[in-house]
Amino acid sequence: MVYFVGAGCGAEDLITLRGMRFLEKADVIIYAGSLVNPMLLDYAHTGCEIHNSAEMTLEEVIEVIKRAEKAGKMTVRLHTGDQSLYGAVREQMDELDRLGISYESVPGVSACFGAAASLNLEYTLPGISQSLIITRMEGKTKVPEKESIQSFAAHGATMAIYLSSGMTEELSRRLIEGGYEPETPAAIIYKATWPDEEKYFCTVATLHKTATEHKITKTALILVGKVLAQGAVKSTDDSGSCTLNYEKSRLYAPDFETEFRKIREGGSNK
């Protein structure tokens, strides 16, 4: 049996309990050595056979799995973040289907969620943005024409951009060309949740300047959108009151009825 396990975005304790237990039981682990925290391999038992897929081709990965299956061993294919995002897992699964080898997937915490936690960020604020676009710049791997940065930027939604920190100058240009204002808030999060994480706030216009100043060219996630600048702003008078830059959720409004809560008389969500 083969288990495709999402390792999480960096910190070794952000792997799921299910993923950790499979690592503890695995006879063979094939891990994405260029991105997965090597401390996760400490969960492996003594005698576990470990392979670094950063040094392997697809054919070599499948060959290791075939040998393990023939010997009746259990394999964990350990991918960074969540393997459903830029994990190149479908091609592996298709090969296993062809060979009649069973497999299951265990989800992981992707970098965009690790980054949101590091920034204490909510991506979907009422009145600001109700959508999160997860995408990447075109590089060595092409993207469909209808999924260009410019086309997504036209929506003005929150955007999490993977695999693009080495192309920030072009990224900035395309984001503005697509519709974001130059002063739209942005952030660069290098190695989200790792011990050596770095995070920098900037704007769409200053993305490249910020990345260059901090020598960030890889292993970083770029966030764009007005949610990055939302919160409570104190009034300038003596009242000390705060004004929200977004709308409160209706979910907890006293005048909003749900299956579990009746409307509170005289309630207001202001």
Side-chain angles (χ1 to χ4, degrees):
M1 186 73 173
V2 179
Y3 294 93
F4 289 90
V5 175
C9 48
E12 70 272 18
D13 58 350
L14 281 179
I15 192 170
T16 64
L17 281 172
R18 183 181 296 181
M20 180 191 73
R21 287 166 182 158
F22 281 135
L23 282 179
E24 291 173 336
K25 296 175 183 176
D27 301 302
V28 177
I29 295 174
I30 307 170
Y31 77 107
S34 59
L35 294 168
V36 167
N37 188 337
M39 292 187 71
L40 286 165
L41 300 177
D42 291 344
Y43 291 124
H45 64 73
T46 303
C48 178
E49 182 183 325
I50 296 175
H51 299 266
N52 180 357
S53 65
E55 303 165 351
M56 303 166 72
T57 64
L58 172 62
E59 290 73 21
E60 289 169 338
V61 168
I62 298 302
E63 189 58 38
V64 169
I65 293 174
K66 284 169 59 179
R67 288 201 305 267
E69 286 294 304
K70 189 173 182 180
K73 295 179 177 180
M74 188 260 270
T75 300
V76 164
R77 180 67 173 101
L78 188 63
H79 281 266
T80 184
D82 182 276
Q83 64 274 18
S84 67
L85 286 176
Y86 309 114
V89 292
R90 185 67 260 165
E91 59 205 57
Q92 298 173 67
M93 292 174 177
D94 286 344
E95 282 298 303
L96 298 185
D97 286 339
R98 184 178 64 81
L99 294 167
I101 296 174
S102 299
Y103 56 87
E104 290 181 11
S105 291
V106 179
V109 178
S110 189
C112 66
F113 303 114
S118 292
L119 300 179
N120 292 315
L121 183 67
E122 182 176 349
Y123 284 130
T124 51
L125 285 175
I128 303 299
S129 175
Q130 287 291 284
S131 302
L132 171 64
I133 296 172
I134 298 173
T135 189
R136 56 178 290 276
M137 272 274 287
E138 180 177 6
K140 291 181 179 179
T141 303
K142 302 292 184 182
V143 300
E145 186 177 342
K146 291 183 179 180
E147 296 182 20
S148 69
I149 291 293
Q150 297 95 311
S151 66
F152 283 145
H155 296 284
T158 311
M159 194 180 291
I161 306 168
Y162 285 68
L163 305 170
S164 305
S165 53
M167 301 177 281
T168 49
E169 186 170 23
E170 179 65 10
L171 174 61
S172 177
R173 185 190 69 77
R174 293 190 186 191
L175 288 168
I176 294 170
E177 180 184 319
Y180 283 113
E181 295 295 329
E183 63 272 16
T184 301
I188 301 173
I189 302 89
Y190 170 78
K191 296 185 74 171
T193 78
W194 288 70
D196 54 344
E197 173 191 85
E198 297 176 29
K199 48 193 174 184
Y200 305 102
F201 288 98
C202 57
T203 67
V204 169
T206 60
L207 263 173
H208 183 61
K209 179 175 180 288
T210 304
T212 301
E213 285 177 350
H214 299 285
K215 298 181 173 61
I216 295 174
T217 59
K218 62 180 181 179
T219 327
L221 181 76
I222 295 168
L223 303 178
V224 176
K226 293 180 180 179
V227 295
L228 286 156
Q230 300 309 311
V233 178
K234 285 190 176 182
S235 64
T236 54
D237 58 29
D238 295 331
S239 67
S241 62
C242 290
T243 301
L244 296 180
N245 288 333
Y246 59 92
E247 298 171 12
K248 284 185 180 179
S249 167
R250 294 290 297 150
L251 179 60
Y252 301 108
D255 60 346
F256 185 75
E257 185 170 324
T258 73
E259 179 184 354
F260 306 99
R261 188 185 70 244
K262 299 297 182 183
I263 293 176
R264 301 286 200 269
E265 189 146 352
S268 172
N269 195 37
K270 293 181 180 177

